Amino acid sequence: MAFTSSTLTSLRGIVDGACADQKSGIPGATVVIVGKDGKELFAHSSGKRGVASKEPMSLENIFWIASCTKLLTGIACMQLVQDGKLRLDDGEQLESLCHELRDVKVLRPDGSLEDKQNAITLRMLLTHTAGFGYTFFNERLRDWAFPAGIDEFSGRFDDMKMPLLFQPGEGFEYGVNVDWAGIALERVTGLKLNEYLQKNVFQPMGITDMSMIPTESMRSRLAYMNARDPDGSLRPRDHLLRVPLVVDRDDRAQVDQIFNSGGGGMFAKPQEYCKILAMLLNNGTCPRTGAEILRKETVDDMFQNQIPQFPNYSRQGIPASKPELTLPIPQLYPVEGDPPQGWGITFMKSNGGPTGRSKDTAHWAGLANLWWWCDRENGIAGMVCTQILPFADRNVLQLWGQVEAVAYMGLKEINKL
């Protein structure tokens, strides 16, 4: 399967056009699209490495992929589930591994705390139904943390210790849940999350440019972080996840102190991440190396709707409780007719959409405006990467939608040949 020259020209034009205006457009972007066989259908970078750089963006640049990390943590946890080392619905096992969760409190709307009534399970963590949130997405949690506040990107484990927003299992709230799943993985395996992923996911797939503690080579190719002001103009800003970028990699004690965030700690070259998506398209087996990362039935389970009891979970909206990090989001991925929404293991199930994707398509995002999608029915997946804050940038959302729509038109052209 290969896109026609007209499709490739259209895709390159869309990406180049999105990055043409360096003052109020997108400073730089990388877009990669892959098929089930692992071959790249499209890979293109445009613009600059950042507002503060004159260097062109290239396919070799490294991005902080933020919450795109969650899929990787989910894959790792599901490896342990299929091997019987972790159990999705065993609250006793989970809270024995993460003893801190036994006594976590629930933050009431009035700001008071109440005791937790239900045990937290791994499935709850992987589906954001345990009750944890993010301070930048939830005003109640933000206000509870005053005056010192909470920095979920500090590189400190202690910043994961916060109250729940409801009793476990009784709602949906996007937050540090998957970070706790990563902690459970570390404690059952005795490995740091990054080490586990390198050994059991990345190395078998031939992935080298993906790490929570970037190598010197990765650091030298890091895309710059940018901010968009309310007037739409762009400016450079400090990196949000700074500690892994400045730690002395040769000092094991320093490295071991850095919290491996299963919810947002990964740095990656987009082409490497898309190898993960191709593996999912190929039912858990890496099409390039032949390594079985997950069994097909495990991938099938991951793509099942885990929360049918919350069919409108993303329609509750997300406020801009920290405007420097996110814009207000009325609804995640609206679909005409408002069909029931679904959530798999760490990702949203979109139930179709305007671009041509199937109803079984998975997708999710990263805070610095990165988006991926994975359509097993049509055998196509892709990723749009930028490094812009705050989240939900209109320009990047438009780019993602245009890229995906042209990709599906390109599929139709291929099927006609």
Side-chain angles (χ1 to χ4, degrees):
M1 183 171 69
F3 284 147
T4 64
S5 59
S6 62
T7 297
L8 294 174
T9 299
S10 294
L11 287 168
R12 280 192 292 268
I14 289 168
V15 182
D16 290 344
C19 300
D21 184 349
Q22 290 288 299
K23 294 183 178 180
S24 59
I26 295 173
T30 291
V31 176
V32 181
I33 303 172
V34 295
K36 183 178 179 179
D37 59 4
K39 295 179 181 178
E40 290 178 354
L41 296 168
F42 178 76
H44 184 63
S45 296
S46 190
K48 303 296 184 183
R49 189 174 168 184
V51 173
S53 174
K54 296 181 180 179
E55 198 178 323
M57 186 73 83
S58 83
L59 293 175
E60 294 302 312
N61 285 124
I62 303 296
F63 291 75
W64 172 51
I65 63 171
S67 284
C68 299
T69 306
K70 290 179 170 67
L71 173 65
L72 306 174
T73 306
I75 289 168
C77 286
M78 292 305 288
Q79 283 186 330
L80 297 174
V81 168
Q82 70 181 14
D83 291 342
K85 295 177 182 177
L86 284 175
R87 294 183 288 276
L88 283 170
D89 300 305
D90 188 340
E92 177 59 33
Q93 182 200 37
L94 192 282
E95 293 192 355
S96 293
L97 291 168
C98 302
H99 58 86
E100 300 90 343
L101 300 183
R102 291 194 185 278
D103 299 320
V104 68
K105 302 292 186 181
V106 177
L107 181 64
R108 293 190 180 108
D110 65 2
S112 62
L113 296 169
E114 67 181 23
D115 291 339
K116 175 172 70 72
Q117 303 297 325
N118 310 322
I120 294 174
T121 67
L122 179 61
R123 191 187 303 274
M124 290 178 189
L125 295 176
L126 296 174
T127 60
H128 297 280
T129 57
F132 287 109
Y134 279 130
T135 57
F136 51 88
F137 280 160
N138 189 284
E139 293 166 336
R140 176 163 37 119
L141 193 59
R142 175 203 63 191
D143 294 349
W144 167 84
F146 287 157
I150 284 180
D151 177 8
E152 291 92 340
F153 309 104
S154 67
R156 299 172 64 249
F157 166 58
D158 284 347
D159 276 311
M160 300 302 109
K161 298 176 181 177
M162 58 182 76
L164 307 176
L165 293 163
F166 47 78
Q167 291 291 338
E170 296 184 4
F172 177 96
E173 180 77 21
Y174 189 67
V176 299
N177 301 276
V178 181
D179 287 286
W180 282 101
I183 294 164
L185 178 147
E186 290 187 343
R187 292 179 181 176
V188 80
T189 64
L191 296 172
K192 298 284 281 187
L193 177 57
N194 189 52
E195 292 173 334
Y196 180 92
L197 285 166
Q198 298 294 338
K199 179 180 179 181
N200 296 283
V201 180
F202 302 161
Q203 289 175 10
M205 297 183 64
I207 291 172
T208 57
D209 274 342
M210 200 182 297
S211 180
M212 290 183 171
I213 312 293
T215 63
E216 289 304 319
S217 172
M218 291 176 69
R219 290 180 186 182
S220 71
R221 292 177 282 137
L222 187 71
Y224 291 14
M225 191 60 63
N226 311 278
R228 191 181 303 282
D229 288 330
D231 65 0
S233 62
L234 292 163
R235 60 178 170 81
R237 62 151 289 159
D238 292 342
H239 206 285
L240 199 59
L241 191 62
R242 183 176 181 274
V243 176
L245 298 172
V246 297
V247 69
D248 182 354
R249 284 180 50 88
D250 295 326
D251 188 330
R252 182 70 190 193
Q254 283 190 40
V255 172
D256 285 346
Q257 288 178 359
I258 296 177
F259 174 60
N260 286 195
S261 169
M266 192 63 68
F267 296 83
K269 188 167 78 169
Q271 288 168 296
E272 299 278 65
Y273 190 88
C274 284
K275 292 177 182 178
I276 299 289
L277 301 180
M279 176 270 292
L280 295 175
L281 291 177
N282 198 42
N283 297 323
T285 296
C286 177
R288 290 174 175 265
T289 67
E292 185 183 79
I293 305 302
L294 293 170
R295 300 173 192 148
K296 179 183 182 298
E297 55 267 30
T298 302
V299 179
D300 290 341
D301 289 343
M302 291 180 69
F303 276 71
Q304 291 295 314
N305 181 14
Q306 306 289 317
I307 56 168
Q309 70 273 34
F310 304 121
N312 297 298
Y313 67 91
S314 89
R315 296 187 178 111
Q316 61 196 30
I318 296 174
S321 61
K322 293 185 179 180
E324 71 276 16
L325 298 185
T326 185
L327 298 171
I329 306 168
Q331 181 180 166
L332 296 170
Y333 205 85
V335 176
E336 186 177 357
D338 290 340
Q341 299 173 324
W343 185 269
I345 295 293
T346 75
F347 47 72
M348 186 173 188
K349 300 291 298 300
S350 60
N351 208 339
T355 62
R357 57 166 59 179
S358 75
K359 291 186 177 181
D360 194 40
T361 301
H363 80 263
W364 202 235
L367 189 67
N369 284 287
L370 309 95
W371 300 86
W372 65 263
W373 88 96
C374 185
D375 184 343
R376 293 172 73 206
E377 181 177 325
N378 287 304
I380 189 171
M383 189 178 201
V384 174
C385 294
T386 70
Q387 300 281 258
I388 304 172
L389 292 169
F391 181 57
D393 186 88
R394 181 177 298 178
N395 295 47
V396 182
L397 287 169
Q398 183 178 27
L399 171 62
W400 174 35
Q402 290 176 337
V403 162
E404 204 178 293
V406 171
Y408 280 102
M409 286 190 286
L411 277 185
K412 289 181 179 180
E413 287 186 12
I414 292 171
N415 292 332
K416 289 178 181 179
L417 298 177

Coordinates of all heavy atoms in Angstrom, one line a residue, residues 50 52 119 123 135 151-152 268 280 293 330 347 365 395:
G50 N 11.9 25.5 16.4 CA 11.2 26.3 17.4 C 11.2 27.8 17.0 O 12.0 28.2 16.2
A52 N 12.5 30.1 18.7 CA 13.8 30.6 19.0 C 14.9 30.0 18.2 O 16.1 30.3 18.5 CB 14.1 30.4 20.5
A119 N -12.1 0.1 46.7 CA -10.7 -0.2 46.3 C -10.4 0.3 44.9 O -11.3 0.2 44.0 CB -10.4 -1.7 46.5
R123 N -7.7 -1.5 36.3 CA -8.5 -1.1 35.2 C -9.0 0.3 35.4 O -9.1 1.1 34.5 CB -9.7 -2.0 35.1 CG -10.5 -1.8 33.8 CD -11.8 -2.6 33.8 NE -11.6 -4.1 33.9 CZ -11.3 -4.9 32.9 NH1 -11.3 -4.4 31.6 NH2 -11.2 -6.2 33.1
T135 N -4.2 19.1 38.1 CA -4.5 20.4 38.6 C -4.8 21.4 37.5 O -5.5 22.4 37.7 CB -3.4 20.9 39.5 OG1 -2.2 20.9 38.8 CG2 -3.3 20.1 40.8
D151 N 3.0 20.5 40.8 CA 3.6 20.5 39.5 C 3.7 19.1 39.1 O 4.6 18.3 39.5 CB 4.9 21.2 39.5 CG 5.6 21.1 38.2 OD1 5.0 20.7 37.2 OD2 6.8 21.5 38.2
E152 N 2.8 18.6 38.2 CA 2.8 17.2 37.8 C 4.0 16.9 36.9 O 4.2 15.7 36.6 CB 1.5 16.9 37.0 CG 0.2 16.9 37.8 CD -0.5 18.2 37.9 OE1 0.1 19.2 37.6 OE2 -1.7 18.2 38.3
A268 N 10.4 11.3 22.2 CA 10.5 10.3 21.1 C 10.6 11.0 19.8 O 10.2 12.2 19.6 CB 9.2 9.5 21.1
L280 N 0.2 -2.1 16.8 CA -1.2 -2.3 17.2 C -2.1 -2.6 15.9 O -3.0 -3.4 16.0 CB -1.7 -1.1 17.9 CG -1.1 -0.8 19.2 CD1 -1.6 0.6 19.8 CD2 -1.4 -1.9 20.2
I293 N 4.7 -8.3 20.8 CA 4.6 -7.4 21.9 C 3.4 -7.7 22.8 O 3.5 -7.7 24.0 CB 4.7 -5.9 21.5 CG1 5.9 -5.7 20.6 CG2 4.7 -5.0 22.7 CD1 7.2 -6.0 21.2
P330 N -14.6 22.4 25.6 CA -16.0 22.0 25.9 C -16.3 20.5 25.7 O -17.1 20.0 26.4 CB -16.8 22.8 24.8 CG -15.9 23.9 24.4 CD -14.5 23.4 24.5
F347 N -6.9 5.2 26.0 CA -7.2 6.1 24.9 C -8.7 6.2 24.6 O -9.5 5.4 25.0 CB -6.5 5.6 23.6 CG -6.6 4.1 23.3 CD1 -7.8 3.6 22.9 CD2 -5.5 3.2 23.5 CE1 -8.0 2.2 22.6 CE2 -5.7 1.9 23.2 CZ -6.9 1.4 22.8
A365 N -3.8 12.3 22.7 CA -3.1 13.5 22.5 C -2.0 13.7 23.6 O -1.9 12.9 24.5 CB -4.0 14.7 22.6
N395 N -4.8 26.0 15.6 CA -4.0 25.7 14.4 C -3.6 24.3 14.3 O -3.6 23.7 13.2 CB -2.7 26.6 14.4 CG -3.0 28.1 14.3 OD1 -3.9 28.6 15.0 ND2 -2.3 28.8 13.4

